[in-house]
Amino acid sequence: MRILKPVFAVCTALAGAGAYAQLAAVAHPAIAFQPRYYIAYRTTTAPQIDGQLDEADWQKAQWTEDFVDIEGSAKPAPRFRTRAKMLWDDEYLYFAVEMEEPDLWATLAERDSVIYHDNDIELFIDPEGSTHRYMELEINQHGTAWDLLLTKPYRDGDRVAYTGWDMHGLKIGRQLRGTLNQPGDRDQGWTVEVAIPWRALRESHDAVLHPLAGEQWRLNFSRVEWQTSSVDGRYRKLTDATTGKPLAEDNWVWSPQGVINMHYPEMWGVVQFSGHSVGGARDTWRADPAQAARWALREVYYAQRSYFTKHRRFASSLQQLGLKLAPVAGYVWPPRIDATPYQFSARLQARDGQSVLQIDHDGLLH
């Protein structure tokens, strides 16, 4: 999925740019904070990972809402339908994505290629909800995978992406409804089915065995779609006549980001893991009582990054930031902000004294 700079260039540039570059302003999402949610139920029988989705438990699992443009409803609706569903058991997280596609094509067959140069489907997982130490998986129509471990979003520092990391035990199946790399015919689409072993998460989250019933994780899907034409019996990306470069790809997501950048984990959707078997007893969605407090701290983070670009230091109060936030029920207000020229922390303490939330200058929420 395209970000503001190419993956490898970001790591190289930031490594030599110093503190000022790393603390540059970041875009504020242009939509309200309203992440989508999904309740994932347990499967009683592990599905065969072949892209067919013909097992009874897959048939019982609900689809997500249709994907939307990454920037939200203000942008045109996607040209082709995309939707996903999820299951889990003690060993794996299972997900499936169904995509309409009139022209099936793929070029990349080597694992850990930059898969979003093809049409692809991507999954992002942040088990802790901290926006740090999260995983990304990209898959094209060949079934080729690119899995990455990210220590933090690219906006927050250098050397953040580890592309040599693998999800050991990853299983991928796909079904193509049409013919791959054959221009001139009309295809229907493709389905990806994936099993991610929970043990793969332990390389960055030591305590993760599998989710507990009722636990909520931040997660999002993204689909990259390029506009193409057929030239000499091969698919070619459409180009801008003035630059000769490919037209910007479409980015269609489950939960909208409000910015053309998937590496805003705070905007991802929320998955609640049910302890019930799919098709059996139903769970109700549990709203997170701390969500408003977390978002208030994230607003401080955005404002601090903008303030730093103007003043070359961080602010020590909401007043200095010019940030008018409504008090968050259940928390001591305003947030306490401690700042030095190059670092800050902002924290909110629950009125009952049982918990404290904090965000730091590098965006870590804990």
Side-chain angles (χ1 to χ4, degrees):
M1 138 89 224
R2 180 168 57 93
I3 58 173
L4 300 184
K5 296 180 182 178
V7 171
F8 304 109
V10 169
C11 295
T12 302
L14 285 181
Y20 286 125
Q22 294 184 30
L23 299 174
V26 297
H28 189 291
I31 59 175
F33 177 65
Q34 295 177 331
R36 285 178 163 180
Y37 65 85
Y38 183 91
I39 298 177
Y41 289 90
R42 292 182 64 98
T43 179
T44 55
T45 304
Q48 183 176 349
I49 306 303
D50 55 10
Q52 299 295 325
L53 309 189
D54 50 5
E55 292 88 353
D57 282 359
W58 272 134
Q59 296 298 312
K60 296 173 187 174
Q62 290 190 329
W63 291 106
T64 64
E65 304 95 330
D66 288 356
F67 287 21
V68 297
D69 187 89
I70 191 171
E71 294 185 80
S73 59
K75 297 296 181 178
R79 301 188 306 278
F80 312 126
R81 187 184 195 186
T82 311
R83 56 182 183 168
K85 56 175 62 178
M86 287 166 267
L87 294 167
W88 70 289
D89 59 24
D90 287 348
E91 300 297 325
Y92 293 93
L93 168 66
Y94 305 96
F95 73 88
V97 186
E98 181 185 80
M99 293 159 278
E100 292 181 346
E101 176 57 70
D103 292 297
L104 294 169
W105 65 272
T107 65
L108 301 169
E110 182 178 352
R111 183 166 181 153
D112 291 339
S113 301
V114 182
I115 297 298
Y116 64 77
H117 289 168
D118 286 349
N119 289 345
D120 78 359
I121 187 65
E122 305 172 3
L123 173 72
F124 299 81
I125 309 174
D126 178 6
E128 295 176 340
S130 68
T131 74
H132 284 209
R133 299 197 302 165
Y134 61 91
M135 281 132 276
E136 176 181 353
L137 173 64
E138 303 186 5
I139 302 168
N140 69 2
Q141 291 164 21
H142 271 312
T144 308
W146 183 23
D147 41 6
L148 303 85
L149 178 65
L150 294 103
T151 60
K152 60 182 73 172
Y154 296 103
R155 67 193 179 194
D156 290 320
D158 62 334
R159 296 187 176 276
V160 302
Y162 292 86
T163 61
W165 174 79
D166 288 335
M167 293 180 176
H168 296 294
L170 176 70
K171 301 178 182 179
I172 297 173
R174 88 223 194 282
Q175 179 195 33
L176 303 180
R177 297 185 297 281
T179 51
L180 189 67
N181 294 330
Q182 185 172 314
D185 63 353
R186 182 75 176 183
D187 302 314
Q188 293 181 310
W190 59 302
T191 299
V192 166
E193 182 181 12
V194 176
I196 298 176
W198 300 119
R199 67 176 182 271
L201 307 186
R202 294 177 199 156
E203 296 187 26
S204 63
H205 297 78
D206 293 340
V208 172
L209 295 176
H210 55 70
L212 301 176
E215 195 169 336
Q216 295 180 348
W217 287 16
R218 301 306 299 272
L219 181 152
N220 211 354
F221 294 95
S222 172
R223 176 181 176 181
V224 168
E225 184 77 11
W226 298 90
Q227 297 183 58
T228 62
S229 63
S230 173
V231 179
D232 297 328
R234 298 180 64 184
Y235 289 111
R236 303 288 186 184
K237 295 175 183 175
L238 297 184
T239 57
D240 186 317
T242 60
T243 66
K245 296 181 179 180
L247 297 175
E249 74 277 24
D250 289 305
N251 297 282
W252 303 327
V253 303
W254 169 44
S255 195
Q257 298 284 111
V259 59
I260 306 176
N261 190 336
M262 281 304 297
H263 296 276
Y264 271 57
E266 63 268 26
M267 297 299 291
W268 295 350
V270 185
V271 174
Q272 178 175 305
F273 293 94
S274 172
H276 300 303
S277 298
V278 65
R282 305 283 294 180
D283 263 355
T284 56
W285 176 254
R286 297 184 300 99
D288 181 356
Q291 186 177 82
R294 292 192 182 97
W295 186 247
L297 292 177
R298 185 60 59 180
E299 293 277 19
V300 173
Y301 160 85
Y302 294 139
Q304 285 279 31
R305 293 290 290 264
S306 295
Y307 187 92
F308 187 90
T309 62
K310 296 177 183 178
H311 303 282
R312 292 309 192 202
R313 68 180 189 276
F314 285 118
S316 57
S317 68
L318 295 184
Q319 290 75 20
Q320 271 190 307
L321 289 171
L323 192 59
K324 296 180 180 180
L325 297 174
V328 178
Y331 288 85
V332 177
W333 196 262
R336 174 180 168 177
I337 300 177
D338 296 311
T340 69
Y342 298 105
Q343 297 181 347
F344 82 87
S345 66
R347 69 194 68 165
L348 280 171
Q349 179 174 333
R351 289 194 177 278
D352 61 10
Q354 296 300 306
S355 63
V356 176
L357 292 172
Q358 178 173 313
I359 198 167
D360 300 328
H361 61 277
D362 65 353
L364 176 65
L365 182 60
H366 53 104

